[in-house]
Amino acid sequence: MSKGKLFIVSGPSGSGKDTILQGVFKKHPEIKLSISSITRAMRVGEVEGEKYHFISRDEFEELLKNDMLLEHNVFVGNYYGTPKAPVEECLNAGGDMILEIDVNGAAQVREKMPDAISIFIMPPSFEVLKNRLSGRGTETEEVVEQRMTAALGEIARAKEYDYIVINDQLDVAIDDLLSIILSERLRINRQKQIIDEVLEKC
Ligand code: 5GP
């Protein structure tokens, strides 16, 4: 069985990447999302284990000490990290997985797994990003400001990615992201085994 493919999806908070990803998983439920371990407080509406495992700083540091994370970063004062084992298990079983992580985490994963495909979700303009962030109402003004600064820094690093998807129209952005994933599945390095199997039967 050929290994699954790893996709990294980044974009500043407020770029709408969560909504795009929901659309992708709805159309293709076989694609798995990596559940990050994070130390940020749970927001209203968030559910433990759905997108994140909410853990303490001590628990996070224990994961780091035991080398159980594929990558990690500190974002606006909190730890965020990708548990290594579920990624390896999914890919080894031939499944495709998406890591929804920030630009620093993405750089670490590219280093360790150069075959990973990275996609940056861009807001159509800074104004739209600002409105989306402040309109969310889930964070204090100070945190919104910090996230804005982080957003500018992230956008400046968008050129490190393999693909850019602009989230101007949600349905188009979902289809764009899916097109990338589906095309990557058809790449020759994933098809070699099938070619061999067909030839063997001739
Ligand atoms: P939020 O607090 O808005 O859910 O996420 C803040 C930022 O952390 C987002 O840019 C998100 O992509 C990123 N993030 C989420 N999980 C991880 C992770 O496991 N590792 C890293 N490096 N970033 C993450």
Side-chain angles (χ1 to χ4, degrees), residues 3-165:
K3 276 186 84 168
K5 198 103 196 150
L6 188 61
F7 296 91
I8 302 167
V9 174
S10 305
S13 43
S15 61
K17 57 186 183 307
D18 283 344
T19 318
I20 296 177
L21 285 174
Q22 277 167 20
V24 165
F25 296 131
K26 203 168 166 197
K27 287 188 176 177
H28 280 266
E30 80 285 2
I31 303 170
K32 299 291 171 234
L33 175 71
S34 154
I35 311 295
S36 298
S37 291
I38 71 167
T39 62
R40 149 169 92 57
M42 208 188 263
R43 289 187 192 128
V44 176
E46 284 184 322
V47 177
E48 159 60 33
E50 203 172 82
K51 182 181 167 201
Y52 291 137
H53 292 301
F54 296 90
I55 63 173
S56 67
R57 287 185 89 85
D58 285 349
E59 286 170 320
F60 196 98
E61 275 156 14
E62 199 60 25
L63 294 179
L64 274 180
K65 202 171 83 189
N66 294 323
D67 193 26
M68 291 173 81
L69 298 176
L70 176 62
E71 62 74 38
H72 74 283
N73 189 40
V74 176
F75 183 86
V76 190
N78 289 299
Y79 278 127
Y80 292 73
T82 303
K84 205 187 279 181
V87 176
E88 285 168 357
E89 280 160 24
C90 176
L91 300 184
N92 287 339
D96 293 331
M97 181 166 257
I98 294 182
L99 310 183
E100 200 248 89
I101 59 178
D102 82 315
V103 290
N104 291 310
Q108 294 170 46
V109 176
R110 269 189 220 104
E111 214 29 60
K112 291 184 184 163
M113 305 175 85
D115 286 346
I117 305 301
S118 58
I119 304 132
F120 193 89
I121 311 288
M122 273 292 268
S125 69
F126 194 66
E127 274 311 300
V128 170
L129 181 76
K130 202 170 168 185
N131 291 340
R132 282 187 192 153
L133 260 183
S134 41
R136 202 150 69 177
T138 49
E139 262 101 7
T140 62
E141 223 167 276
E142 192 192 348
V143 171
V144 171
E145 277 305 316
Q146 287 172 340
R147 281 177 176 265
M148 241 13 184
T149 309
L152 280 181
E154 297 216 31
I155 291 170
R157 292 181 63 184
K159 288 179 188 155
E160 296 170 16
Y161 285 71
D162 297 309
Y163 297 92
I164 303 277
V165 167

Side-chain angles (χ1 to χ4, degrees), residues 182-199:
L182 300 181
S183 313
E184 287 293 337
R185 280 184 178 171
L186 298 174
R187 268 187 184 272
I188 192 75
N189 57 3
R190 296 198 76 193
Q191 312 294 324
K192 278 183 185 146
Q193 202 172 341
I194 296 167
I195 298 171
D196 290 343
E197 278 169 19
V198 170
L199 289 177

